Each structure stands twice: as structure tokens, then as C-alpha cells.
Amino acid sequence: MKTIDELLAEGVTGKRVFVRADLNVPLAGTEITDDGRIRAVQPTIAKLASAGARVIVASHLGRPKGAPDPAFSLAPAAARLGELLGQDVAFATDTVGSSAKETVAALADGQVAVIENLRFNAGETAKDDAERGAFADQLAELADVYVGDGFGAVHRKHASVFDLPARLPHAAGYLIATEVAVLKKLTDEVKRPYVVILGGAKVSDKLAVIDQLLGKADRILIGGGMAYTFLYAKGYEVGISLLQKDQVDVVKEYMERAEKNGVELVLPVDILASTDFPDLKGKTPAEFVTVDADKIPADKEGLDIGPRTRELYASKIADAETVFWNGPVGVFEHPDYAGGTRAIAQALVDSDAFTVVGGGDSAAAVRTLGFDENAFGHISTGGGASLEYLEGKTLPGIAALEV
């Protein structure tokens, strides 16, 4: 995989460099609530601009249905990128139309432009190779060189991620190079004990990665909504908690395999449970009880791990050399149910391990809860991409850069 430093050594002054970034930031109207992904790609963009490149930044945001939708415009992200770079950033109101062409043509050496949300064009996400390729052809006309640095999208076989690098000289940006190096430490170069914390809503989202980790991790700690399927598989009643009954047999098989492989699979011992899912918008106080994990009342739903589980999990993390965490262990968006996720984050901070926060909601949680990002070994920008890498899958966006 060609590095950006090798590309810079060849010279980029005056060249139009297309940077496939991941500016898929959460928005409240037009206000960015977490700019972590923009900050993550800033070093690559800044380096190219300082070297005299004419930088064209492209990304998706959200899931528009292949047509323009103001709710998913990249305009706020472009404005924030300009603030971080300390220079004006031009913004094209389309992807490959007249605005994009005119905006790119007007760039001088060292200047930066952002084109509109790639998913406003149906060709970006098309399943049909020809349709996707046709859009990639149009994008290629805008640039001389391609730099892939949108790690959060590399598991997608999309035009700007997979097809475009084949049409231009290409290299990996600093973020992708860092992310891949980190993931190798979780797969090929693991220091033990290796502890994995998995949370989030659905166990079905994590089955493939659990399957792989049963042969690699020393301990797997389970939390979040997915924990209740494990507890149910143990024969516990889980009330009205999130439960995927169709996955119970698979979970039982995983628990048996963990025991056979000597992998410590750790489940919650106590739970915060309530009759109602919390009002996240108003953050009104929640009414809950703390109960043993095998005594969740029939009319209640588990919403966070309890205090004894927090202590248990912290003790399982304390002596680790490598820790990977993907998925909150409770409804962290509400302050009354953020204690479990906060305890996990604090345990990572307190440990001497190489700690990786696996993107998505986990990354959002540590920022929302006020943790210093530098207190962790690495905070990934791609939860889905990280999981698929750990599952052993080929990531299209990485494969395209390796050709």
C-alpha cells in the first residue's frame, strides 16, 4: 500500500488530489455534535495543502436515497473543516455537476474544496458495477491523484471507495495507515492478556466477530442490549429486555465453545432495570431498580450494567495488555444509565494496556462522557470497518489501495 509520504515525495504541487474522507458526523439540524471524524482526517488534508496540492475532499453523510436532501448536506462539515485548517474551504453544491467542476477549476495551489454528499448520486452505492463505475469515471475527471482516508467507509464497495482508486494513482492517507496498524495489533501482533468488551443493542451484529474472537481473545466481556440474549441462553428470565430469541441457540454454542477454548466469557451479574425506556431527548430522571442478572422482573427492561458488574469488569481489564472495546454497555445517552459505559471507559484509562475504542457509539460515548481522547491508545473512526476487519473479511477500500 503506497503511503501518503511516498506520494508527497513524488511531488503534489499543482496536482488535483481527491481525498476520500469520512465526514459522516452526527448533526442536530446544522450543528455538528461530534467533530471527531473531521479532526481525524485533518492531518492528511493539511499536509497535502501545505505541499501545494489542490485538495478535493469528498465524503458521504447519512443515508440519503441517491438524491439531494438538504438534511444530509456536507456544508456544516465543510465549514468546520475550514475552521480546523485555519483557511477558507470552498464548497460545491453537487458531486460531479457544474458546481463541482467550477469549484475544482477555481482552486489554486494549497487550497481545499469539499464537494457535496456523494450519496446524493445513486451511482455511489449502486450494486450494479457498471452504474457504480460510471459515477467513478465522473469523479475521476475531477482529479489527478486519489488518497483514501475515509476509514469508516472502507468496508463498503462504493464508487468513491472501491472503483475510483482503480482509475487514478492512489495512496493511503495517515488515518487509514494508522487504523490498519492498530488493527494488526489486535489480530497479528497481540500482547496478552487480550480482553475484548462487546456491547451495543443486537447480538446478531456481533456474532461474526465473536466467532473469530473465540480463537483469539483471552476474555470477552458482554454488555449492552446484546447481553440479555446471553443471559436468556443461560436460562435466566430477562423481562421485557431486548432479546433476540432466534440467536439463542448460536449464543449457547458460543458459550460452550468459549469454555472449551479456555476463553473467559463474562456476563453481567447485576442490572439496572426499568419499566420504561428512558426519555433521551428531555433526559428526564429515570426510575429504575438494581437487580441480580438472574432476577430481572417480568415487567422491567435492563438498561445498564449494575455496580457489581462494573467492578467485576474493571477487575477483568486491570491486568490486560491489549483491550478492544466496541459498543456501549448501557443507554449512555441518558445520565442515569451512563454509569456502566463510564466505568468501562475509566477502566481502560486506568489500565496499562494498549486500548482501542472501536468507533461508532463507543467513540461517541467517551467524548460525550468527557474523557480525554489522548487517554486511550486509539479511538477508531470506523466501528463497522473495525469489526469486519476483526471478522477476517476483506475490506474493499483497503484492497483497492493495495493494488
Side-chain angles (χ1 to χ4, degrees):
M1 187 186 296
K2 188 174 186 176
T3 68
I4 190 171
D5 287 331
E6 290 172 320
L7 178 67
L8 290 165
E10 295 172 359
V12 293
T13 302
K15 291 184 178 179
R16 301 170 301 163
V17 180
F18 187 104
V19 178
R20 200 334 178 159
D22 179 9
L23 308 181
N24 185 28
V25 292
L27 295 171
T30 58
E31 180 182 349
I32 297 170
T33 58
D34 181 356
D35 68 353
R37 284 175 169 162
I38 304 176
R39 287 186 286 110
V41 76
Q42 178 198 353
T44 291
I45 297 168
K47 190 78 172 187
L48 288 166
S50 67
R54 303 177 181 192
V55 187
I56 305 138
V57 183
S59 176
H60 70 287
L61 191 152
R63 296 179 181 272
K65 301 185 184 300
D69 183 338
F72 297 106
S73 175
L74 280 174
R80 180 58 182 147
L81 177 61
E83 292 172 356
L84 292 169
L85 291 172
Q87 68 180 79
D88 290 337
V89 169
F91 181 66
T93 57
D94 57 27
T95 56
V96 290
S98 58
S99 179
K101 292 173 183 175
E102 291 167 8
T103 301
V104 171
L107 287 175
D109 295 357
Q111 291 187 331
V112 179
V114 174
I115 63 174
E116 187 55 284
N117 191 336
L118 292 164
R119 291 185 183 174
F120 285 2
N121 190 305
E124 169 68 0
T125 59
K127 302 293 185 186
D128 181 75
D129 291 349
E131 183 181 355
R132 215 175 50 245
F135 183 49
D137 288 338
Q138 291 178 291
L139 291 172
E141 291 176 6
L142 298 175
D144 304 305
V145 181
Y146 176 93
V147 171
D149 216 26
F151 181 73
V154 293
H155 58 314
R156 306 295 188 191
K157 193 177 181 180
H158 290 170
S160 65
V161 175
F162 179 74
D163 302 273
L164 185 55
R167 288 158 169 78
L168 294 170
H170 51 266
Y174 292 124
L175 175 60
I176 278 186
T178 298
E179 294 273 13
V180 171
V182 165
L183 288 168
K184 285 183 178 178
K185 290 185 179 181
L186 299 177
T187 52
D188 304 331
E189 307 159 9
V190 181
K191 292 184 178 179
R192 300 184 181 279
Y194 178 19
V195 177
V196 176
I197 307 112
L198 295 176
K202 294 182 178 180
V203 69
S204 56
D205 294 338
K206 304 290 198 304
L207 286 178
V209 75
I210 294 172
D211 183 64
Q212 287 291 317
L213 290 169
L214 285 173
K216 293 176 180 173
D218 297 298
R219 298 177 198 134
I220 302 175
L221 317 182
I222 303 293
M226 63 183 287
Y228 303 103
T229 301
F230 279 86
L231 294 172
Y232 188 87
K234 285 192 71 173
Y236 299 167
E237 290 300 326
V238 296
I240 57 172
S241 304
L242 187 62
L243 172 63
Q244 289 186 282
K245 282 190 176 180
D246 61 328
Q247 303 297 337
V248 169
D249 288 342
V250 178
V251 166
K252 284 181 178 178
E253 191 269 325
Y254 283 178
M255 290 193 292
E256 291 169 1
R257 186 141 56 96
E259 185 173 3
K260 182 179 178 182
N261 291 355
V263 177
E264 194 177 357
L265 188 61
V266 190
L267 301 179
V269 294
D270 62 342
I271 296 292
L272 268 57
S274 175
T275 54
D276 298 305
F277 193 82
D279 172 16
L280 300 179
K281 192 171 184 180
K283 302 283 177 50
T284 53
E287 293 184 5
F288 60 85
V289 294
T290 302
V291 297
D292 290 346
D294 61 348
K295 294 183 174 63
I296 300 175
D299 65 339
K300 288 183 168 51
E301 175 179 15
L303 296 167
D304 195 9
I305 57 173
R308 287 191 293 121
T309 304
R310 297 169 198 177
E311 291 181 9
L312 171 65
Y313 284 12
S315 73
K316 299 295 183 182
I317 294 166
D319 68 341
E321 289 291 332
T322 304
V323 181
F324 173 70
W325 173 28
N326 183 279
V329 296
V331 186
F332 77 92
E333 298 91 342
H334 194 287
D336 291 335
Y337 300 117
T341 299
R342 182 181 287 108
I344 295 295
Q346 189 62 55
L348 266 64
V349 170
D350 293 341
S351 80
D352 294 324
F354 175 64
T355 56
V356 179
V357 180
D361 286 342
S362 312
V366 298
R367 296 188 185 107
T368 299
L369 298 175
F371 285 90
D372 180 358
E373 293 181 42
N374 295 320
F376 303 90
H378 180 68
I379 297 180
S380 178
T381 56
S386 295
L387 285 178
E388 291 200 14
Y389 188 98
L390 294 179
E391 290 168 16
K393 291 183 178 179
T394 297
L395 305 183
I398 301 297
L401 295 174
E402 291 175 334
V403 176

